[in-house]
Amino acid sequence: MTQTTTPLKFTGFSTERCIRILRDGEAPALFPVDSRQVEAVLALAADADSLRRQHLYLIETETPDGETFVMIDHCDGEVYLQADAGMDMDCAISTGEFAGVCWRVLGFVEGSKDTSVELAVGSARSASEICEGLRMLLEPTRVAVAMHGGTVEATVANRPAEVILLEGAPDDVAAAKKDGLALVTDAQGGTIAAEYVVTRSRADIDTHKTGLYWSQLAY
């Protein structure tokens, strides 16, 4: 997993349940929970002392691509017995200390589906709320402009948006120039195209109306 401060373009977000491990002289490390984890066994692990009292052990498994997964198993559990006997060379009894279960929010970066960035760590609820909020940022901003007889009556959007409506007909641009209305220009192929601003406004946030209009369109 990549940790970076360089601005990145995210394509998606997800949550991941992790086990936190402490090692002497190192910062706490988070590892995703192994898919073989027995939930009833994990539920017994409240802290490091509870593991020792109940003969529970942290098992680390490294995949061929170098990613490490962690689980907790009982001393007579199948995974523990294989790791202890050296029957599974990818598994090992962890030398670290159990420091709880948590959830983290991961962001996936454009151009590399296997690259993720850790964005936040917390409880299952907080991670889920953060993830949902981030996912909303990836949704398109949708704007609906209500017009009648060429006059803008209302502008609504599903999130904060500023809107400029332009008119480019030559006669209208000439009239706008004569009346001193706002004009914008755009260089296209060596020529200057002018348009006048019909309206500029901050859209009212109305997710119900915006959704109602957009849901009736095929897109």
Side-chain angles (χ1 to χ4, degrees):
M1 182 174 59
T2 302
Q3 292 185 343
T4 178
T5 57
T6 303
L8 299 171
K9 183 175 181 180
F10 292 103
T11 58
F13 303 95
S14 70
T15 59
E16 183 176 63
R17 186 172 59 158
C18 298
I19 289 177
R20 182 183 283 111
I21 292 181
L22 300 178
R23 291 190 175 90
D24 291 339
E26 298 182 11
L30 300 181
F31 298 97
V33 176
D34 195 308
S35 59
R36 298 172 295 177
Q37 177 67 62
V38 177
E39 294 299 324
V41 174
L42 183 61
L44 298 174
D47 50 39
D49 288 337
S50 70
L51 262 68
R52 288 187 282 269
R53 290 195 305 269
Q54 300 177 87
H55 305 290
L56 301 175
Y57 294 87
L58 285 170
I59 310 295
E60 297 185 24
T61 299
E62 185 173 345
T63 64
D65 58 4
E67 187 171 7
T68 299
F69 292 85
V70 174
M71 63 177 289
I72 294 175
D73 203 11
H74 198 267
C75 62
D76 59 1
E78 181 180 353
V79 177
Y80 169 80
L81 292 175
Q82 290 181 349
D84 187 48
M87 297 171 60
D88 187 342
M89 301 305 295
D90 294 326
C91 293
I93 300 173
S94 176
T95 58
E97 188 168 274
F98 174 70
V101 177
C102 62
W103 289 76
R104 63 183 173 189
V105 180
L106 300 177
F108 297 92
V109 181
E110 183 180 51
S112 181
K113 64 179 182 179
D114 297 324
T115 299
S116 62
V117 180
E118 184 180 293
L119 301 175
V121 177
S123 64
R125 179 176 179 178
S126 65
S128 177
E129 291 175 346
I130 292 172
C131 187
E132 287 305 309
L134 291 170
R135 284 173 176 167
M136 287 183 64
L137 297 178
L138 295 180
E139 296 179 359
T141 298
R142 289 178 175 150
V143 179
V145 180
M147 302 183 69
H148 182 74
T151 301
V152 177
E153 295 189 334
T155 304
V156 295
N158 63 338
R159 67 180 63 188
E162 293 182 339
V163 181
I164 296 177
L165 293 183
L166 306 173
E167 173 58 67
D171 291 345
D172 292 326
V173 171
K177 187 179 297 185
K178 181 179 179 180
D179 295 337
L181 300 179
L183 294 171
V184 295
T185 59
D186 182 25
Q188 295 178 337
T191 61
I192 299 297
E195 297 176 308
Y196 84 90
V197 180
V198 176
T199 184
R200 50 187 170 188
S201 63
R202 185 182 296 273
D204 295 326
I205 301 177
D206 191 325
T207 55
H208 173 70
K209 285 185 178 179
T210 306
L212 177 64
Y213 299 145
W214 278 84
S215 65
Q216 299 176 67
L217 302 176
Y219 57 89

